[in-house]
Amino acid sequence: MRRSLICAAIVLSAAMPAAPLCAAPAPGPNPAAPTTQLPRTVRPSHYEVTLEPDAPAGRFEAKATITLEVLEPCISITLNATDLVFRSAQLKPVGALGAAQVATIAVNPAEQSATFSFTQVLAKGRYQLALDYSGIIGSQAVGLFALDYDSANGRKRALYTQFENSDARRMIPSWDEPAYKATFKLEAVVPAGQLAVSNMPIESSSALPDGRSLVKFAQTPKMSTYLLFFGSGEFERASRMVDGTEIGVITKKGGSAQAAFVLAESGPILREYNDYFGVRYPLPKLDNVAAPGRSQFFGAMENWGGIFTFEYDMLLDPAISTQADKQNVFATAAHEMAHQWFGDLVTMQWWDDLWLNEGFASWMESRMMERLHPEWNTALHAVDARQLAMERDALATTHPVVQHVSTVDQASQAFDTITYQKGESVIRMLETYVGADAWRNGVRAYMQAHAYGSTVSDDLWRQIEKAAGKPVTAIAHDFTLQPGIPMIRASEPLCKDGKTSVSLVQGEFSADQPNKKPLRWRVPVIAQVAGSASSARVLVGGGAATLTLEGCGALVLNAGQSGYYRTMYAPHHFAALTRQFGTLAPIDQLGLLSDSWSLGLAGYQPMSDFLELAQATPLSADPQVWGNIAAAFGTINKHYRDDPKRRTDFAAFAIARLAPLMAQLGWNERAGEPDPVATLRADLIGTLAGLGDAPTIAEARRRYASADASAMPAALRKTIMGVVAQHADAATWDAMRRAARAETSPMIKDQLYELLAQSEQPALAERALSLALTGEAGATIGAGMISTVASHSPDLAFTFALANLEKVNELVDSTSRSRYYPRLAEFSADPATIGKLTAYANAQLAQGSRRDADAAIANITSRIKVRAERLPAIDIWLARQGQAGAAASGSSVR
């Protein structure tokens, strides 16, 4: 997943004669060759690995025999290895007689490499490299790691692996780069009574004299190292056959009932993917393995045939799981199963094109939710995904979707909202542009052409363009090879002869570079007359276009919200849309809210435009529209954090707007209500409590204290406890801590400890920070507690983390640290924090590993600007609303 640059180190003994080396790639670009940080003159084809973990001791013994091909004569072989101790290394030709050559071994920890040097020149041909070595079983989710958890029979320990992006080298000396695909044959020694799992089914299991078992797995297809998986523990497995594939779920003993939903849903997802991709899932089985704890970096991993998922992203506990949890579990499974094709069967050649994995899996996840669960109405989530991407993409510290990656740290930092959400949004726009059928045909052709191979983005564009007969590559390049967000400015509409015309000018939306010279994009635009079915399309190229539609009225640009761009309307045009806001399609209401919110924060148009739309939203609007408004109110409330008087004034307005909706929904679920209503109810309770609404806080406390179990149903349990925790006094905090200590469910226990970090009282937040370092919450939970404190007290959490750097480092995946610390600080609005973050980056991060630190500094700078320049405009708008309300009240009295 990340660390320092892996150079191809060639280390020779001073006594060795000069000889040809398996040299590193020549400097300079070579478009025909894959990117690599290892010599290209040796290529593996097969790994045979015997693993013998000692979980209590935190170490493992292993043997690996790697079949490889020497492509040019050389005298040494360099591959990736991290935290491994080698006892021996021998090399012999495949199928030839004679003694094996014993290697001299040189390990370079800084470059995460090991070099095996020989006394005789290696001729071109096939060889087997036999390695005997040992390594570390960690406590965080990198390499081979252990997770401890409580059970009815005491404390238990289970083992798992996490290799993406660059951590297979922690368990297997390997060519640990995505383009070096090979087959794997794994066997492992495990304690008696434990279940072992890997990518392929168990081929055989035999008892050893000491009572342990030797488990041998079938050979994998050709695949990248980061997709290999191994797990063992006191597990249970449930399975079913679907389309010729055995689908299974693996949990700790007693947990399979909580995996019933994901097992049931995986069948329809698999059938859909088999059909959509035009290539059937090629492995005999597909397991999804649930694990306690969590990582600060990921929630699930797409290991081919052996998906790894943390319990909170896979299991549903009837005592605490919500509708939002259910949707999240489905989305996670759909995402990781999509990777079985996009990423596993066809893999990006290098991390530059990571979005080919993550953007497509995110898009397929959304597509599956819409297709298999239309009752969730998740099509509207497209606007949320786009908004997440644009928040990052609007800053000068952004990067293109296709990005240059040189180091392990940079590869790790590539897993961000640009790769995921911008990638997903661009795919959605291009599919809409070429048509769903043409897009699917192109994807099918791509899968068939590159199965078991590695690709770059242009391999996909060629297939899509061929299937669609449209010049999609040029548009795709505009949106993936350059950073940033197009902004389409729409003129006042002109109605003549029953038709409406509007002029469109393409600029660029930036949150921190208002005078930036805009880049150029070819932008597919769809427009619709508000309240009408009349629509038209145009490709805005060269910076401008004119659009004409049948019918007269205000136009909605980006109708359906498939386009990746901001829309800015002329003032009277926007006013007309505000008046008709209640008649717009929900997804276009969300789009208009999203654009006006971001344009207001950046100073392109008044912040009051968003507030006017919030005022114009009817109580009958889609729950997700109201959820968007509530989230924005919560953000504005946080911007007022350091000014209690102004915060109180804003909260009064926001509560007055949201409380009637909450009264309409009520605290209790109603028979037959749509699923999104349950999510909105929880959102409203949390937002109103955050705004300081006394009745909401009091009701949450009453329900929490009630002896009546129905007062705190599962759908609201986390929400109610969150309100109580946020507003807890010391006695309540202590009681919640006792409840966390006593809890036996690992998933619920983790959530209870994170609740302790939600208190906004500085003294209790400090207690939560100190508690995070004790280990009481578990080895993988402490870092999350510090992050939770940072969400409401970023300066406190960041300062604490820096003061306890060594202890906090023990709680964070080693490959996540360059991301973790900056993200603690990014919600700050204190100029002093910029200096602290800069000092941290200068002291702790390599120059090429500062992307997240630079992005956090940009976010802090933007937040300072918002508080100084945007909040006064909100104050003025609120004062006018108060005056208007007072005038109306006085008029009614008279």
Side-chain angles (χ1 to χ4, degrees), residues 330 367-379 624 674-676:
F330 179 93
R367 184 182 181 277
M368 282 300 99
M369 292 179 78
E370 293 175 36
R371 186 170 179 84
L372 297 182
H373 285 285
E375 72 277 12
W376 294 346
N377 197 21
T378 54
Q624 292 166 94
D675 289 334

Side-chain angles (χ1 to χ4, degrees), residues 627-672:
N628 179 287
I629 293 169
F633 285 174
T635 299
I636 294 172
N637 185 53
K638 287 182 179 180
H639 278 301
Y640 280 116
R641 177 185 292 128
D642 300 323
D643 194 326
K645 170 63 172 65
R646 295 164 74 201
R647 187 178 191 179
T648 299
D649 291 343
F650 174 74
F653 158 75
I655 291 169
R657 195 73 191 97
L658 298 178
L661 181 63
M662 183 63 210
Q664 178 177 290
L665 296 183
W667 280 72
N668 298 317
E669 180 181 354
R670 294 169 183 170

Side-chain angles (χ1 to χ4, degrees), residues 395-419:
L395 300 172
T397 53
T398 188
H399 62 84
V401 171
V402 178
Q403 56 192 301
H404 179 60
V405 170
S406 297
T407 70
V408 174
D409 261 353
Q410 289 175 3
S412 167
Q413 292 175 357
F415 291 80
D416 64 8
T417 56
I418 300 298
T419 296

Side-chain angles (χ1 to χ4, degrees), residues 318-571:
I320 200 167
S321 296
T322 66
Q323 175 62 29
D325 292 331
K326 188 175 185 179
Q327 292 178 204
N328 180 64
V329 165
F330 179 93
T332 301
H335 183 103
E336 303 309 328
M337 289 178 68
H339 274 310
Q340 306 301 297
W341 286 263
F342 258 110
D344 298 4
L345 180 63
V346 181
T347 312
M348 81 268 139
Q349 195 171 84
W350 183 247
W351 302 107
D352 291 17
D353 287 287
L354 175 63
W355 86 287
L356 283 175
N357 287 13
E358 301 301 348
F360 272 84
S362 298
W363 172 71
M364 287 300 293
E365 154 201 333
S366 298
R367 184 182 181 277
M368 282 300 99
M369 292 179 78
E370 293 175 36
R371 186 170 179 84
L372 297 182
H373 285 285
E375 72 277 12
W376 294 346
N377 197 21
T378 54
L380 303 187
H381 291 180
V383 177
D384 295 332
R386 186 181 69 199
Q387 179 70 12
L388 277 174
M390 287 184 173
E391 286 176 357
R392 177 72 179 264
D393 212 14
L395 300 172
T397 53
T398 188
H399 62 84
V401 171
V402 178
Q403 56 192 301
H404 179 60
V405 170
S406 297
T407 70
V408 174
D409 261 353
Q410 289 175 3
S412 167
Q413 292 175 357
F415 291 80
D416 64 8
T417 56
I418 300 298
T419 296
Y420 284 74
Q421 281 77 32
K422 183 173 182 178
E424 172 187 359
S425 299
V426 170
I427 291 165
R428 185 176 290 107
M429 177 178 67
L430 295 174
E431 184 206 26
T432 301
Y433 176 70
V434 304
D437 290 343
W439 183 266
R440 182 195 60 213
N441 292 338
V443 168
R444 286 177 172 177
Y446 170 81
M447 284 291 158
Q448 291 163 4
H450 299 287
Y452 304 101
S454 300
T455 62
V456 295
S457 295
D458 278 353
D459 293 323
L460 175 68
W461 303 140
R462 279 191 288 271
Q463 298 293 347
I464 298 292
E465 195 160 277
K466 182 178 178 181
K470 289 184 177 182
V472 70
T473 300
I475 302 172
H477 281 177
D478 287 350
F479 282 88
T480 61
L481 299 184
Q482 63 183 2
I485 307 164
M487 182 164 66
I488 301 297
R489 296 176 184 263
S491 68
E492 301 289 1
L494 175 64
C495 183
K496 185 177 180 181
D497 299 328
K499 296 182 179 181
T500 300
S501 296
V502 66
S503 297
L504 307 178
V505 176
Q506 182 251 299
E508 183 174 353
F509 174 77
S510 172
D512 57 358
Q513 299 180 92
N515 299 317
K516 181 181 185 294
K517 181 180 178 181
L519 299 173
R520 283 283 175 255
W521 290 265
R522 279 152 281 209
V523 185
V525 173
I526 304 174
Q528 187 173 32
V529 176
S532 165
S534 176
S535 64
R537 300 174 180 233
V538 67
L539 184 66
V540 179
T546 299
L547 195 61
T548 301
L549 291 83
E550 295 289 338
C552 287
L555 298 186
V556 176
L557 273 293
N558 204 4
Q561 303 302 308
S562 62
Y564 188 81
Y565 57 89
R566 291 284 181 212
T567 303
M568 183 174 175
Y569 298 93

Side-chain angles (χ1 to χ4, degrees), residues 553-740:
L555 298 186
V556 176
L557 273 293
N558 204 4
Q561 303 302 308
S562 62
Y564 188 81
Y565 57 89
R566 291 284 181 212
T567 303
M568 183 174 175
Y569 298 93
H572 294 298
H573 194 169
F574 184 85
L577 288 171
T578 302
R579 290 191 296 271
Q580 298 182 64
F581 188 69
T583 70
L584 302 182
I587 197 164
D588 290 326
Q589 291 177 331
L590 282 171
L592 198 57
L593 285 165
S594 174
D595 283 337
S596 63
W597 168 258
S598 295
L599 290 166
L601 286 177
Y604 287 93
Q605 64 187 47
M607 276 298 300
S608 57
D609 284 355
F610 173 83
L611 297 172
E612 293 286 353
L613 290 177
Q615 282 282 64
T617 304
L619 291 181
S620 59
D622 188 280
Q624 292 166 94
V625 172
W626 274 112
N628 179 287
I629 293 169
F633 285 174
T635 299
I636 294 172
N637 185 53
K638 287 182 179 180
H639 278 301
Y640 280 116
R641 177 185 292 128
D642 300 323
D643 194 326
K645 170 63 172 65
R646 295 164 74 201
R647 187 178 191 179
T648 299
D649 291 343
F650 174 74
F653 158 75
I655 291 169
R657 195 73 191 97
L658 298 178
L661 181 63
M662 183 63 210
Q664 178 177 290
L665 296 183
W667 280 72
N668 298 317
E669 180 181 354
R670 294 169 183 170
E673 70 180 18
D675 289 334
V677 169
T679 302
L680 176 60
R681 178 180 291 111
D683 289 346
L684 285 178
I685 292 169
T687 300
L688 285 166
L691 289 164
D693 182 48
T696 300
I697 297 169
E699 178 63 7
R701 285 171 169 163
R702 184 194 70 78
R703 287 171 173 263
Y704 180 73
S706 175
D708 183 358
S710 65
M712 200 158 62
L716 289 180
R717 183 179 176 188
K718 282 192 293 187
T719 300
I720 291 169
M721 290 192 299
V723 172
V724 172
Q726 182 183 8
H727 299 276
D729 56 18
T732 302
W733 194 91
D734 287 336
M736 297 187 85
R737 182 181 179 185
R738 288 194 294 271

